[in-house]
Amino acid sequence: MGDPTFGVLGPLRVRGRGAEVRIGGPKPRAVLATLLLQPGAFVSLDMLIEVLWPGGAPRSAVANVRTYVRALRRALEEAGVATGGLSTRPSGYALDAAPGDIDMSLFEQRLERARAERDRGDDEAALRRYESALGLWRGSVLQDVPSSVVWDPVVARAEEARSAAVGECLEVRLRMGEYAPLVAELRSRLAEDPLREDLWQMLVRALHGAGRTAQARAAYAEAERILAAELGVEPGASLRRTGEEVNGYTGRRRPVPAEPVRQLPMDVPDFTGRSEEVGALERLLSAAGRQPVVAVLSGPPGSGKTTLAVHVAHRVCHAFPDGQLFVDLGGMSDRPREPADVLAEMLRGLGVIDSAVPGEPGERAALLRSRMAQRRFLVVLDDAAGAAQVRPLLPGTGGSAVLVSSRRRMPGLPAHHFPIGVMRHDEARALLGAIVGEDRLRREGADADRVLAGCGSLPLAVRIAGSRLANRPGWSVGTLADFLHDERGRLDQLQTGEMEVRASAELSYRHLPEQAAAAFRAFGHLTGDAVPGWLVAVAMGRPDGAAGELEALADEHLVEVVGTDRLGLQRHRMHDLLRCYARELAEADGAGVLRRRRLQVVDALIALARCANSAMPTRFLGVLGEPARPTGPAAEVAGAVRARAVEWFETERRLLVRSVESALRLGDVSRAADLAIELAGFFDMRGYYGDWLRTHRLVLDAMPEPAGARAAALLRNLGQLHLYQDRYTDALESFVTSRALFARLGHPSGEAVAAVGAGSVHRVVGDLDAALKEFTDALRGFGGAGDPHGEAVAHNAIASVWLERRAPDAAAPWLDGALELSRAVGDRHREAQVRRRIAVLHELRGEPHAARAELERALGIFDELADTHCAAYVQQSVGELCLRQGDAGQASALLVDALAVQRQLGDRRAEARVACLLGELHRATGREQTARRYFHRSLSTWRRLQVCEQAELVDAKLRSPC
């Protein structure tokens, strides 16, 4: 068989009469490339215009496209290439070609044949087919044609198919015993992509098969180190089994595997219809294997996309043994969720601890793909805003499947698309019968058809209408049909498809009892998140609860119970479209009522946040509001909030952040500041730096000028965040401004807290005299304010300066005082911090065993308090101690883990220090190449931080002889 006529797997190529044909001009070449990437498919003029003029098309764009197509047709005909397949259609074009005429189609055909031979067990034939398929690739797809985002999905699928084919071909060669040539090829591929566990596994197997057992063991150890350092994870089960097979290596104790994650909401028990869609989706999702499968359900609001997605997910969940994730993307809300936040939630669902979740969205997406690559998960992404929101959440390889629901079509996603419209008449009738009863439906069949016509067979409208009838046995179906008929004139006047749902919502709302109607309107004052019942009562302005009203709304399918939160409280959610209608009703009550009710919600959250802060396991070094006894519905849950303070903050985090924004929209900066200040301690503990920065920055920007205690507290908190993230100039500026504000207000405790922050900046950058002065000032301030917690902090800070000066005897009395004060006030977190410094003192005195014992005590306290951040820093200290004592094995394990955690936390100074320590460790044990890699990493980080002295020290280590 000769070469294909058209080639896209490399530079764009056309062959005619046995020779290459030159297609002149970048625009005709781009048109041809677009048609070839979708052979036989309709390519619209709009798509071609987007490819040719991505920055904005000229007025003559349509005429120009037609000119380019004519020029393309003429060039092909002159070269003897048949152009019968290039057809003009209304508003677009298509290029029909046989699979053998386009190299990409021919590649797919040959790849399928190779897989068929492999599945039959004929490895020799399969290898020939794989090599024949891969031989069609001459480079990257269309590498000599300017790229277009329009092509991205097709190009990505092609590149993924090539990658999969390479891996499958390597597996076949491995089974055939081609060990020696495979080793070199696998090492070359790993140099380009060192995080591919499947390649590491094949390398270990190839080395082992070739009788090079020692090298196989070394390769597995290298894989283990790289995965730990770069991703903060251990090898997957498959690679781990291979490692154990070649050398019996079990490594250090591993955690007990977590149970598979099961996040699917409850399936609808009376699910009816959609049989064709259900069958097609089941077949598609269950076929996920060599590559991930993505399916998108798109359609108008109320068409039942979420119900269908959850139903199908339950039917195929057995095919995904590693678990199912469910995420509400909030696409229809005022503020759809950011992919970065969703990635963090998904990673936590997969067992990644808070401190190991990367800070950058791209790194989070990479970690998600890595975690899913070796396992089979089903992911349901509900209510997506668009392709840009979904794309970072997709797996890259492996056997997982993703089911997306959205109001919007998303042709840019590499997915199978299922448009979901209204139900067929027979399906809608069956749904109505399942709700109200088949007997009743048969008796009043003609009127039932009128009801369905009034609902437009929209599933949400049918379900709402059916619930009306089911809960009112005294009504006839005809009564409801007549009512719907009266609404049809109104529906005809509406301008968007969403209005059908609003009419259905109005139909239900108008028949609610007075208090249930008030509860419905209350959801218009709340965000789109699931909320506890007490908050609905607050938004209603009722002093008692709203359980009965919520039950009535649930009976009418106007809200749903979505589960029980960590405090044991039921959470209720209203469909976003219904909530939009509730907001319109709430706004009709008048601006004054609207403002008062929404601020009542903010006030209740501030009061409970202060309750929670009074019971937190760690004492935040900041200025918080004075706790007061909550009133009204919030008082009923105050005890539970105090008992499980961290869990409450975690449960309500999104609601709390949005409430800061809500207060600012209402123009109440003081309330927004109060709530933001109460959230800082929790954000500090859990590392929610994005929420911390956003809330504080928004409030400060809303202030005409920073003045008053609120501004001073916000600036102090912002300085702490800057310090964590190595922005030392910004941190010092915030602390100094905060201290000056507190001083003008006559607030000695606040002034002392800001002074501790400023001293910490001076200590980190090496100005120890300035640090000691600030810490001493802070001690006087805390003493004058009668704050023993603050005094403990100041004692510990002063000791840190003497330890930096390597003067243990001068530090000892300060540490004794800090420990005594911490234990006297019961601050175990501060006690652990002091013990970490006491360990440094013991080491300076040449007492390594005593130092190790103090670090273990500190680590135990942090583990008890579930403070993974501080525990990671103690683990780093233990690793450094082991290294200095000559225990290279344990030091390596601890420092590699610490490096991964510090990278995720964004502590670049700690990352640079640990990388240098690992370089020294590997050089001492004879692994010079690995040592140099770590030294380079440390040097690069110090230079980015502009810490010249440390950079020069590391550079000297790189230049020194082995």
Side-chain angles (χ1 to χ4, degrees), residues 91-129:
S91 302
Y93 302 89
L95 178 59
D96 290 311
D101 289 339
I102 303 177
D103 60 3
M104 187 167 69
S105 301
L106 185 59
F107 166 73
E108 294 169 351
Q109 188 181 75
R110 291 180 181 178
L111 182 57
E112 284 302 312
R113 291 175 181 170
R115 287 168 173 168
E117 298 287 359
R118 179 201 60 187
D119 293 342
R120 281 196 292 269
D122 189 346
D123 284 343
E124 290 186 1
L127 181 58
R128 289 195 298 272
R129 298 281 191 189

Side-chain angles (χ1 to χ4, degrees), residues 519-830:
F520 183 91
R521 292 195 303 275
F523 277 87
H525 300 298
L526 303 171
T527 68
D529 302 296
V531 295
W534 68 266
L535 196 61
V536 178
V538 171
M540 290 172 66
R542 288 187 56 170
D544 51 359
E549 290 74 16
L550 287 168
E551 185 176 349
L553 292 180
D555 288 343
E556 301 300 326
H557 298 283
L558 296 175
V559 299
E560 59 177 335
V561 178
V562 295
T564 302
D565 63 25
R566 303 177 192 195
L567 272 65
L569 305 175
Q570 279 193 335
R571 299 189 77 81
H572 308 266
R573 181 169 57 209
M574 179 176 281
H575 188 282
D576 282 335
L577 292 173
L578 296 174
R579 187 175 57 82
C580 289
Y581 179 61
R583 185 168 59 239
E584 290 180 3
L585 295 171
E587 290 170 350
D589 290 336
V593 173
L594 185 72
R595 175 182 168 81
R596 185 172 68 254
R597 294 284 172 81
R598 291 185 176 175
L599 289 179
Q600 285 172 351
V601 170
V602 177
D603 285 340
L605 292 172
I606 292 172
L608 285 178
R610 287 174 174 167
C611 278
N613 275 324
S614 69
M616 288 285 278
T618 63
R619 186 177 187 274
F620 180 57
L621 186 62
V623 178
L624 301 173
E626 290 297 325
R629 185 177 181 82
T631 59
E636 300 298 319
V637 297
V641 169
R642 276 190 290 266
R644 307 191 70 177
V646 177
E647 289 88 341
W648 181 78
F649 272 124
E650 189 68 65
T651 299
E652 307 295 0
R653 178 169 67 95
R654 289 176 61 191
L655 173 64
L656 290 162
V657 171
R658 291 186 178 187
S659 294
V660 173
E661 298 166 358
S662 175
L664 289 174
R665 284 195 298 271
L666 293 169
D668 199 315
V669 180
S670 296
R671 281 184 170 95
D674 285 343
L675 186 52
I677 288 167
E678 297 302 324
L679 296 178
F682 170 69
F683 292 157
D684 188 0
M685 180 181 184
R686 285 297 176 91
Y688 290 129
Y689 294 163
D691 288 340
W692 188 350
L693 180 62
R694 177 176 177 75
T695 53
H696 282 54
R697 196 69 269 167
L698 282 174
V699 177
L700 283 168
D701 288 346
M703 292 178 171
E705 59 178 345
R710 292 185 177 96
L714 289 165
L715 284 166
R716 195 238 59 104
N717 295 347
L718 207 53
Q720 190 68 33
L721 179 59
H722 290 324
L723 176 59
Y724 286 161
Q725 298 184 326
D726 302 318
R727 296 192 292 268
Y728 302 122
T729 302
D730 293 339
L732 189 58
E733 181 182 347
S734 294
F735 286 134
V736 169
T737 306
S738 172
R739 184 177 181 183
L741 286 175
F742 277 129
R744 284 205 296 269
L745 295 166
H747 195 310
S749 184
E751 189 179 353
V753 169
V756 169
S760 297
V761 176
H762 289 308
R763 180 178 60 80
V764 169
V765 300
D767 190 348
L768 298 182
D769 290 336
L772 188 58
K773 181 183 182 306
E774 294 282 2
F775 292 150
T776 304
D777 288 348
L779 180 60
R780 283 196 297 270
F782 287 130
D787 183 353
H789 284 94
E791 289 182 275
V793 171
H795 274 76
N796 197 36
I798 292 170
S800 72
V801 174
W802 292 112
L803 292 174
E804 289 279 348
R805 289 173 167 169
R806 306 185 67 80
D809 292 339
W814 293 107
L815 289 172
D816 290 341
L819 186 61
E820 182 179 347
L821 284 164
S822 299
R823 300 182 74 175
V825 297
D827 189 343
R828 301 204 67 220
H829 192 273
R830 185 59 50 192

Side-chain angles (χ1 to χ4, degrees), residues 161-178:
R162 179 191 193 183
S163 178
V166 169
E168 293 164 18
C169 183
L170 291 170
E171 283 281 2
V172 171
R173 292 172 60 192
L174 189 60
R175 284 200 300 273
M176 294 175 66
E178 293 186 17

